[in-house]
Each structure stands twice: as C-alpha cells, then as structure tokens.
Amino acid sequence: MRQSMMSRAKNGGFSKLLVASYIVDWVIIIVSAGVGALLANITPNMRPFSLTNPEISFPHVEHEKVSLVTLACSALAGPAVIIFLICLILVPGPTVSKSIPKSLIWKRKLWEWHTGWLGLALSLAASFLITSGMKNLFGKPRPDLLSRCEPDMANLANYTYSKFLAGSIYENFNVVSAKICQQSDKSKLDDGFRSFPSGHASFSSGGLVYLSLFLASKLAITIPFLASGSNATQLSAFPSRASTRIAEQHSVSSRDKPMADDLLQEPSGHDDAVIAARNQAAGPPVYLLVIAVLPFFASIYIASTRYSDFRHHGFDILFGYLIGAVTSVFAFRYYHLPINQGAGWSWGPRSRDRSFWAGVGVGNYVGSREKHPAEILKRNDTDLEAGRAVQRNLTNEVGNNDETATTSYGVAR
C-alpha cells in the first residue's frame, strides 16, 4: 500500500480533480460577485415616504469622500497586494530547516497565497451579494432622497396614499408614492432607495477586517493565553522554588533518610516541569499590533464617511458593517487555522479522493478511502519546521512529489 501511494505521488504533482475542485470554487465566487453586480443595477423596491420627514431631507453631496474606485482599491486591491507580499516574504518562516527543498518552500508560498486570496474573494463576494440583494428588497430611502427626488408638489394629491387627507391641514404628513419624483436621471433616483444596508460599510469591513485577521495570523498577534494543564505550582511566583518546598516537605516525613543532594541544590529555573505559567506566553510588540489593526481602523473610517456624506442612516451603516465583519471572520476561518493555535498557517488542500464530495459519516475533506483513518496520521520523529511533524495522507499535500512522499512539514492537524 505504501509503495502504491509513493508511486502515485511521484507520477504527478497536483491531482487534476483537486485542481478542478478549486477552479470551481473560484468560478462560484466570481459568479456570486457578478450576481451582486446585477442586483446593484436593477430597479429596487421604492418604499413610500413622507415629504416632511427630516431624516430624508439632507442635501445630496455630489463628491463623496470615498468613491467606488477608492473603495475598490482600499478593500480589494490593497489587501490583495499585501497578502501577496506577506506570503512572498514571510512564508514559510524561520522554523524551516535548510534541508527543505526550495521547490517545497515555493509550493507552500503559493498555497498560502492562494488561500489568502481565496478567503478574501469569498468574504468580499459574500458581503457584496448579500448587501446588493438586501438593498433592492428593502428599498429604504436614503437621507438625501428628497434632494434626488425633486417632488411634483403641484400634483401632490395624485400621489398620496390617503385620499381622505387631501386638501386638509394634514395633507403634507401623509406618505406619497415614488412616482411623485420628477428626477430625470433614473439611476440617481433608484440609488436613492438603496440606503439599507450600507454597501461601503459591508465591503470595507469584508475586505479590511479580513486583512487584519490575516496580518494577525501571519504576525502571531494574539492575546496571550494559558495552555491547558496549568497547575498551582505553575501559577506561583517562583515555581522552581515551590517545587523545592514540596521536596523538602517530603523529606521531613523521612528524617532518618538524608535529603538527596539534588533537592538541596539551588534550582536553575530551566526545568520544563516547573516553568511558570507567566512564562508560557507574552504580549506581542505593540508596533505589530498597530500594523494588524490599521486595516480595521481604515474600514471604520470608510463606513463613517457614509454618514457624513448623507448617504446612509446610522443603523444602515452598523448593519452593513456587521455583514462584512461576519463574512470576513467566516472566510478567514474557512481557509485558515485559528490565530492562537495555527502558527500563521492556512488549512491544507482537500484530499484528492474528497475533492468534490466526502459523504455522510466522513466528517471532513481530508483523508483517503483507501486506508483506515487510524493509519493515515502516524507520528514520526522527524524535526522539520515546528519541531514536530506528522506523516499525513499523501493525497492531501500541495503538489506531492518524491521529495514529499514520506513526510510533510507544518502544523499537525
């Protein structure tokens, strides 16, 4: 069985079926973005409005602080370039042995780059599609609707929904149909009914929050945490001395026996068994934290301009930002390991046998139908990148060949 797996790894790098499955992923994401673009150009529902509503009586600002081109550069092009540079420069990191072949290193760079872009595309496409669909479904008036509308006040009674109020002192308090608008620019008028949710907010958070998560992963920016299994000795101020006290207490119970010399010696503090909990982790440098949160702050600025430009109401911006935040977190975790446990790596590729389908009872898309799961992941003593390696299924490595026929390096999954 092992020989057949090794020969299969030597015969070809990438499985055509596996490559096809990821091409399908890209096609679905691109098609989803295209559907979102179509939804952004159809006529939305036009919710009736009141001509005396102050919430839609703001002036129409022609020159936005963040235009669509600037938004695309900030939330799409910019993150894509940064992800590419990070993968080119920082991957695979300082834990790689000099004996690792250059080809394997470049395959890892390319895979991290691919998953970085795939997650970014998934986040942006999902937020764009959801936002565009909701805009047309709700048809909520923007704060500057009346400036866009140019209502026909002379024939107000023809567009009111409550005819019994016509001619009364309450006539102007009634809601009217969008047909009262005399705006000749149809696209400008249609856009006036796309206030909820904010597209700028969802798109900026979908791209820039994802970038912040990606940077935090690659730069190891995480809140320090205690590993499981910490005990009272590890939580003491000086655990090595605490262990000595414990040894001394045991020696009191046997006064007839002399205390061993190793217990009387001053502890060195380098024994792994008594390392203090406070020494298990440390806060990363603040300048790296600043680098990681800058995209997040940029997304907040972009979202805030929609309020000052009178394009959206406050709730529209908050809800739109939430959409982008959810899609970015989901897309990041869909393709990347947890920040505090994954050492900056993304998940590996799907197995060749499970490129398109895993089936009920399988549980995930890593593994092979040819071997029992207990035999797929067998530990070995090879020290490659992280001081520990696992012999993983050969159908789940990036570009398997004779150089990676027995082991692959990285984080054990």
Side-chain angles (χ1 to χ4, degrees), residues 9 12-14 91-92 101-114 397-404 409:
F14 290 97
V91 174
K102 293 293 184 181
S103 60
L104 187 58
I105 292 177
W106 276 103
K107 287 173 183 176
R108 179 58 64 90
K109 287 179 180 287
L110 291 175
W111 177 251
E112 294 291 325
W113 172 25
H114 172 252
E397 184 53 74
V398 182
N400 280 323
N401 53 28
D402 55 344
E403 297 170 340
T404 62
Y409 64 91

Side-chain angles (χ1 to χ4, degrees), residues 25-252:
D25 288 352
W26 277 106
V27 170
I28 292 176
I29 290 174
I30 294 173
V31 170
S32 299
V35 173
L38 291 176
L39 292 176
N41 289 279
I42 66 175
T43 301
N45 290 325
M46 295 183 176
R47 182 179 176 84
F49 54 93
S50 173
L51 297 176
T52 59
N53 184 2
E55 294 294 327
I56 60 173
S57 302
F58 292 91
H60 177 67
V61 178
E62 294 292 343
H63 301 287
E64 303 169 279
K65 294 182 179 67
V66 179
S67 63
L68 291 177
V69 175
T70 304
L71 176 65
C73 293
S74 302
L76 174 58
V81 171
I82 293 174
I83 290 172
F84 169 75
L85 294 177
I86 290 292
C87 294
L88 181 66
I89 298 172
L90 298 184
V91 174
T95 61
V96 179
S97 172
K98 294 182 179 180
S99 62
I100 299 297
K102 293 293 184 181
S103 60
L104 187 58
I105 292 177
W106 276 103
K107 287 173 183 176
R108 179 58 64 90
K109 287 179 180 287
L110 291 175
W111 177 251
E112 294 291 325
W113 172 25
H114 172 252
T115 54
W117 275 19
L118 192 60
L120 177 66
L122 176 61
S123 175
L124 290 175
S127 64
F128 183 49
L129 176 61
I130 294 172
T131 303
S132 296
M134 292 182 67
K135 281 177 176 288
N136 290 326
L137 288 174
F138 287 95
K140 183 179 179 180
R142 292 184 183 269
D144 61 355
L145 175 64
L146 294 183
S147 297
R148 300 168 180 258
C149 175
E150 300 178 4
D152 182 11
M153 300 301 296
N155 299 301
L156 177 61
N158 297 331
Y159 306 104
T160 183
Y161 279 98
S162 297
K163 300 296 183 179
F164 65 90
L165 293 178
S168 69
I169 58 175
Y170 302 104
E171 181 178 24
N172 292 333
F173 291 94
N174 189 28
V175 293
V176 296
S177 167
K179 296 180 180 180
I180 197 175
C181 298
Q182 301 180 97
Q183 176 61 249
S184 58
D185 188 344
K186 184 178 183 300
S187 62
K188 184 177 181 179
L189 179 61
D190 288 348
D191 191 57
F193 289 90
R194 295 194 180 104
S195 182
F196 178 82
S198 171
H200 275 62
S202 65
F203 199 79
S204 62
S205 62
L208 294 174
V209 171
Y210 177 88
L211 178 59
S212 285
L213 294 173
F214 184 87
L215 291 174
S217 176
K218 296 305 183 202
L219 300 178
I221 307 299
T222 183
I223 298 176
F225 64 97
L226 280 177
S228 60
S230 298
N231 53 45
T233 300
Q234 292 174 316
L235 294 176
S236 63
F238 302 98
S240 58
R241 295 182 180 272
S243 65
T244 302
R245 290 199 307 271
I246 295 174
E248 291 175 349
Q249 292 174 1
H250 284 289
S251 66
V252 172

Side-chain angles (χ1 to χ4, degrees), residues 198-404:
S198 171
H200 275 62
S202 65
F203 199 79
S204 62
S205 62
L208 294 174
V209 171
Y210 177 88
L211 178 59
S212 285
L213 294 173
F214 184 87
L215 291 174
S217 176
K218 296 305 183 202
L219 300 178
I221 307 299
T222 183
I223 298 176
F225 64 97
L226 280 177
S228 60
S230 298
N231 53 45
T233 300
Q234 292 174 316
L235 294 176
S236 63
F238 302 98
S240 58
R241 295 182 180 272
S243 65
T244 302
R245 290 199 307 271
I246 295 174
E248 291 175 349
Q249 292 174 1
H250 284 289
S251 66
V252 172
S253 62
S254 55
R255 296 180 183 276
D256 295 337
K257 297 180 181 180
M259 183 175 290
D261 293 339
D262 56 347
L263 294 178
L264 295 174
Q265 294 177 354
E266 186 70 18
S268 64
H270 295 287
D271 186 359
D272 290 341
V274 292
I275 293 179
R278 60 188 297 272
N279 292 330
Q280 293 184 13
V286 175
Y287 80 92
L288 293 178
L289 178 63
V290 172
I291 293 175
V293 300
L294 276 178
F296 170 67
F297 289 157
S299 67
I300 293 178
Y301 168 75
I302 293 174
S304 68
T305 62
R306 308 308 289 170
Y307 194 81
S308 58
D309 283 344
F310 311 124
R311 287 297 196 271
H312 294 281
H313 306 279
F315 182 75
D316 307 336
I317 298 173
L318 291 176
F319 198 91
Y321 196 91
L322 178 62
I323 292 174
V326 170
T327 59
S328 61
V329 172
F330 173 82
F332 177 81
R333 284 292 289 110
Y334 201 71
Y335 291 107
H336 298 269
L337 276 74
I339 295 177
N340 62 345
Q341 298 176 347
W345 298 118
S346 62
W347 295 110
R350 297 184 285 267
S351 297
R352 299 182 185 183
D353 294 337
R354 302 175 184 176
S355 299
F356 283 97
W357 178 258
V360 178
V362 175
N364 60 65
Y365 284 82
V366 174
S368 172
R369 297 188 181 93
E370 300 179 3
K371 298 185 67 176
H372 190 275
E375 300 177 358
I376 294 175
L377 296 178
K378 295 191 298 184
R379 296 185 180 278
N380 57 33
D381 297 329
T382 305
D383 182 8
L384 295 178
E385 284 185 29
R388 184 181 69 177
V390 295
Q391 183 175 2
R392 65 186 290 187
N393 177 24
L394 290 177
T395 63
N396 186 36
E397 184 53 74
V398 182
N400 280 323
N401 53 28
D402 55 344
E403 297 170 340
T404 62

